[in-house]
Amino acid sequence: MIDEVERPEPMKVYKFWLRAQKGINDEQKRLNEAVEALYFALLTRLIRYYKTLENPTDRIVIEWDRYRDEYNVSVMYSFVTPHAYFSLECKGTKQYEMQYYIDDTIHTDEISRLFKGLTFFDRKVLRTFSEPFPDFFQAALKCQQQHIRQL
């Protein structure tokens, strides 16, 4: 059993996506809605792909609806696998973006192929990690137990 990391009581935060609902023009609103729809289209493809993997440990994912998360003002949704990271975020500029990282594994080409046909309007940002991605994933498993599932 993995030890769960204790977290402090959450502070009340005002999520950036809520601010974006009120203070943007129609064009920006449509763009945000498009980025959000594209993120969930990609997520559907990722889930479908991961369900086909033979190795059960490859199918362990952390999926977290963070629209109401009180710990982070910018992240709206996270999907993390042993091989990749995807999050939908709203920055302080009230612009949605999709952050991603794909680790160099045997799954890299297939995961990259899942982006085909999805244009994120230059709102797709490669995320960097200060530690090797497998270490990040293992640490995330320890502190995000309630969001872990096997596809």
Side-chain angles (χ1 to χ4, degrees), residues 22-78:
K22 298 175 185 171
I24 58 175
N25 61 41
D26 288 344
E27 181 182 345
Q28 181 62 46
K29 184 176 182 178
R30 283 191 300 274
L31 187 55
N32 282 350
E33 289 170 350
V35 170
E36 186 174 20
L38 289 164
Y39 176 83
F40 285 105
L42 176 64
L43 185 62
T44 299
R45 293 176 182 188
L46 287 163
I47 290 170
R48 192 176 315 127
Y49 171 70
Y50 272 90
K51 284 181 176 181
T52 68
L53 300 181
E54 290 184 27
N55 184 345
T57 59
D58 285 339
R59 296 192 316 266
I60 295 172
V61 301
I62 302 168
E63 186 173 6
W64 190 356
D65 179 341
R66 301 178 77 175
Y67 282 88
R68 301 285 181 208
D69 176 20
E70 295 178 331
Y71 290 101
N72 190 304
V73 296
S74 62
V75 180
M76 299 159 62
Y77 206 93
S78 297

Side-chain angles (χ1 to χ4, degrees), residues 92-142:
T93 58
K94 302 178 183 177
Q95 295 181 348
Y96 290 10
E97 69 182 27
M98 194 273 296
Q99 290 198 8
Y100 74 101
Y101 176 84
I102 303 170
D103 203 26
D104 188 17
T105 69
I106 61 171
H107 302 284
T108 303
D109 290 341
E110 187 61 29
I111 294 170
S112 296
R113 189 186 66 72
L114 297 175
F115 280 97
K116 187 173 180 138
L118 299 178
T119 304
F120 280 90
F121 308 101
D122 76 348
R123 299 286 180 80
K124 183 172 76 173
V125 177
L126 179 62
R127 179 176 173 168
T128 59
F129 290 88
S130 59
E131 59 191 325
F133 188 77
D135 294 346
F136 166 82
F137 185 72
Q138 289 304 312
L141 288 175
K142 289 179 183 176

